[in-house]
Amino acid sequence: MSMMAVAEQTETETVAEKKSPGKALWLLAPGVIWMSLFLVLPMLMMVYVSFWTQTTFTIEPTLTLKSWVTFFTSDTYLGALWTTVRIWLIVLVATVLVGYPAALFVGLFVKNKALQTVLLVLCVIPFWTSFLIRVLAWRPMLGKEGAINMILMNLGITDAPIEVLLFSELSVIIGMTQIYCVFMVGPIAFMLGRIDTSIIEAAQDLGAGFWRIFRTIILPLSMPGVVVGAIFVSVMVLGEFATSAALSGRKVNLLGNIIVTQVGSLKWAFAAVAGVVLTILMGAVVAALLRVVDLRKEL
Amino acid sequence: MSTVLQLKNITKTYGDMRALNGIDLALPGDAYISLLGPSGSGKTTLLRVIAGFEHPDGGAILFDGKRIDTVPPHKRGIGFVFQNFALFPHLSVAQNIAFGLENRDVDPVADRRLVDTRVRDIISLVGLSGLEGRAVTQISGGQRQRVALARTLVTEPRMVLLDEPLGALDANLRARMRAELRAIRERCGVTFLHVTGSEAEALAMGDTVLVLESGRIAQSADSDTVYNRPASPAVARFLNCYNLFPGRIEGGVFVGGSGQFALGSATPSRAASPAYAIRYDRVSVRPREAAIAEDEIRIEANFVASEYSGAAVNSFFALDDGRVFEVESHLSHAAPETYAEQGRYALVWKREDALVYA
């Protein structure tokens, strides 16, 4: 008797469960329509165009692998792909090295929630200045006769200006690290802020010193923040073209820069090939990062 | 029994608030000590000072005869069990328990097999066998409590501090864990200092009960003494089983707002302000016209309500000055009586049963 009642109850529950998602699906409609029209379709279009035939001035919808073959046999394009991967890795490591300690301070050592918020907002301030002004500001700082070289020479640390500071790979890395660091600090500080202080006190009470606690408790508990930050930074750095153009004097060519140039010279098929390669690369990077930590467990 | 922990005149101030106001204390080894105090009495602060998470403003802490005021928490050798258990959420039950052995600065255990053996021993001691591999988020509250305790005990501290360890458990489990905690402590032979806001818990668990009142130790005695002879009106109030009257003593009579009570033969205990206390279960309720014996004291009050709790019934009366007077009748002696709403009754007790503070 009671078992039947239970069975009946479960049945009604499943019916209720089946009903509601059907109705709720309508909520997704605007997003799905918008994204199919302006994201999925254009991307499929891009894949399609990458197989079109490119001549010097025109492009015809005759399918061919020529653009793909050209991309993977040309030193320029493969070089750009390698530069993109290299700069991405260096910037990723640099943002973690600069961002993690800052996040550790904000998330763990600042106890006051209001002050925490103020400090995180401070991290975002570089974002309030426009890109153009930031680039303009870097040049007098990093240039041959810029502030850093002047100071180093006046202090007698160097005799000649360090030329590598501007219009080089290094300047691109400095610039990108500065811009994207905040995307690393935010998620990590958030995860660190969620760690209960009594957990750290418990580890202390059990006899562990600070570095032990950091390695065994704080770092593992903040890993989801690092992964989310790394996804933000990776997606943005991999698609970058403006910072590299402005700070490298066109010496550093990322895949993004190749796309911009190809589109500029109406080489749509090549641009599409580079675009598809870049999209696949981003997808692979995000998928790999998501494997590091099970984010579902954290949210 | 030798003294394990000694506190000498410990003070701690937060802004204008004196959390600890000169604590003097000596705790014996191999004993269960409960520390009773209402919220805000400084009991958690005292525990955190002993563990080393807070620094006292003044005074000395001696552990095993050595001063430990300046020793950081991870080198004190005092275990701490947190109220919310503070388990490491990313580690399994066994990993949580092994944490201290593997990661402590002083004398870490590097031998994997030795760690495993000791973790297994402690797991069977606290009754967690079979759950070694579980995530700590997948076990029940009582099991988490045991993990927290095992994690501390495995490091073999000379003393364990427990901050309201049963507060996060439901009532049923709390009663079972009381006996369990005492049994575990006896098997390990270390001193437990158990902080609680519940008078029943403090009296039931402590070999010695300490009562903390506004940053001072108001009484330190065995349960029976604390219950029957509270050292001050404040202690009597925390115990939640005494009717208290403020007033003054004039020539063998206590004069309070609710009436004049003749004193018994016992000399009044010393206290900051005079008070008269009579235990809830020492009072009997009689019809107004009933006569009283010579050694009895009688006041009149109106019945307000009663609360049935199974073994006893607590009746509330309003005195003429608005004060509430509580009477506890044990139902093993008699069937519960029903009193008329707002009816006037005589409340009678023996002169010798009252405690008088002067």
Side-chain angles (χ1 to χ4, degrees), chain B residues 286-292 298 346 348:
Chain B
R286 296 182 195 164
R288 280 176 71 192
E289 56 281 1
I292 59 165
R298 173 185 185 277
V348 180

Side-chain angles (χ1 to χ4, degrees), chain A residues 196 198-199 201-209 212 216-217 220-221, chain B residues 48 53 74 78-80 82 84 86 88 90 99 102-105 151:
Chain A
D196 190 347
S198 62
I199 286 177
E201 285 176 345
Q204 266 183 310
D205 188 68
L206 293 169
R212 263 304 166 122
T216 54
I217 308 289
L221 287 179
Chain B
R48 293 177 61 84
F53 300 133
H74 67 280
I78 297 178
F80 196 109
F82 289 80
N84 62 356
F88 308 126
H90 58 304
F99 183 89
E102 290 174 332
N103 294 302
R104 63 185 172 197
D105 268 8
R151 184 176 69 173

Side-chain angles (χ1 to χ4, degrees), chain A residues 43-83:
Chain A
M43 275 172 76
L44 292 175
M45 194 63 198
M46 184 174 73
V47 176
Y48 183 44
V49 169
S50 74
F51 292 103
W52 284 10
T53 306
Q54 177 85 56
T55 59
T56 316
F57 297 112
T58 57
I59 183 162
E60 295 162 13
T62 321
L63 296 186
T64 170
L65 277 176
K66 226 181 109 220
S67 304
W68 281 93
V69 173
T70 315
F71 185 93
F72 282 105
T73 49
S74 144
D75 287 344
T76 324
Y77 297 142
L78 287 180
L81 180 59
W82 167 235
T83 313

Side-chain angles (χ1 to χ4, degrees), chain A residues 208-283:
Chain A
F210 177 78
W211 288 109
R212 263 304 166 122
I213 296 176
F214 178 75
R215 200 168 60 75
T216 54
I217 308 289
I218 298 171
L219 192 59
L221 287 179
S222 66
M223 266 325 269
V226 177
V227 168
V228 170
I231 290 174
F232 284 159
V233 172
S234 301
V235 167
M236 283 182 287
V237 169
L238 287 171
E240 254 281 16
F241 60 93
T243 313
S244 51
L247 282 177
S248 75
R250 308 223 171 264
K251 271 188 260 173
V252 174
N253 279 312
L254 304 179
L255 274 183
N257 299 101
I258 298 280
I259 297 174
V260 171
T261 330
Q262 298 294 350
V263 169
S265 51
L266 301 179
K267 300 243 160 83
W268 287 100
F270 281 131
V273 171
V276 172
V277 170
L278 189 57
T279 310
I280 291 170
L281 180 62
M282 280 185 193

Side-chain angles (χ1 to χ4, degrees), chain A residues 142-166:
Chain A
L142 300 171
K144 220 186 214 179
E145 315 228 321
I148 291 180
N149 272 324
M150 296 284 269
I151 292 168
L152 286 179
M153 284 202 293
N154 281 342
L155 289 175
I157 297 171
T158 53
D159 318 326
I162 306 169
E163 293 193 23
V164 77
L165 278 180
L166 188 58

